[in-house]
Amino acid sequence: MSNEITGSIMKGVFIRYKGIVDFQGPWKLIADWFESKGFEVLERKAKHRIAPMGEELECAMDAWRNVTDYYRFKMTAYVKYFDGQYVDVVKNGKKKKLLKARIVFKIRGSLVFDYSDRYDKSKFTLALRKFMDNYVLRWQWDNIYGDQLNYKIMELQNVIKENMNFEAHGSEFADMW
């Protein structure tokens, strides 16, 4: 059975937005970003309902990428639209129907060890994996792969902020990993 760890940033970063947005824009942006970074993407949840205050939409997307034959990055993007109402907007001389809503983004990540379950065949190999994780390979996931995943999460957060035209976007960690 594979093992997963999450660090401080990996537990989740949030972005909150209130305003007019293209309905498919941010969700397509996240999927395209995952694919451009070599992640496999699975959209696991999409719920839509009409509430008294407006439309609500909830979407979740899982993405994973094998870093080595032992480690795997796993990321989850979650988007929820509240109080959505469609409005007509004239943009560049063209009339478009956009969504005025409150939006919450949550991005999480985890580092998966032994994702192919090669070391779960017997008690000896399980003890060997435990020894490797705790003593031999600990520095790799502590210093290299954990940091790499944290920077990927922050990079996706900044891409969303730039796309939604936030005033505070960009990062001092843009050139890392």
Side-chain angles (χ1 to χ4, degrees), residues 28-47:
K28 185 172 177 353
L29 173 80
I30 293 170
D32 291 344
W33 185 86
F34 278 137
E35 289 177 3
S36 73
K37 298 296 180 184
F39 283 82
E40 298 286 325
V41 179
L42 174 69
E43 187 174 330
R44 79 176 143 88
K45 181 180 186 180
K47 282 182 9 182

Side-chain angles (χ1 to χ4, degrees), residues 156-168:
L156 179 57
Q157 178 188 24
N158 288 323
V159 165
I160 293 168
K161 285 180 179 180
E162 288 174 5
N163 181 267
M164 312 252 332
N165 293 326
F166 278 33
E167 287 184 20

Side-chain angles (χ1 to χ4, degrees), residues 39-85:
F39 283 82
E40 298 286 325
V41 179
L42 174 69
E43 187 174 330
R44 79 176 143 88
K45 181 180 186 180
K47 282 182 9 182
H48 180 263
R49 72 178 207 144
I50 306 295
M53 296 294 288
E55 292 187 17
E56 290 184 9
L57 179 70
E58 188 175 349
C59 301
M61 182 184 304
D62 289 333
W64 62 92
R65 183 178 83 185
N66 299 340
V67 182
T68 65
D69 58 347
Y70 190 71
Y71 294 113
R72 171 184 280 178
F73 288 162
K74 182 179 167 189
M75 291 177 68
T76 302
Y78 172 81
V79 180
K80 186 162 185 176
Y81 294 85
F82 297 97
D83 305 337
Q85 297 172 352

Side-chain angles (χ1 to χ4, degrees), residues 99-112:
L99 186 69
K100 180 180 177 185
R102 293 183 300 144
I103 306 171
V104 175
F105 296 92
K106 183 175 183 182
I107 306 162
R108 300 182 68 184
S110 61
L111 185 61
V112 180

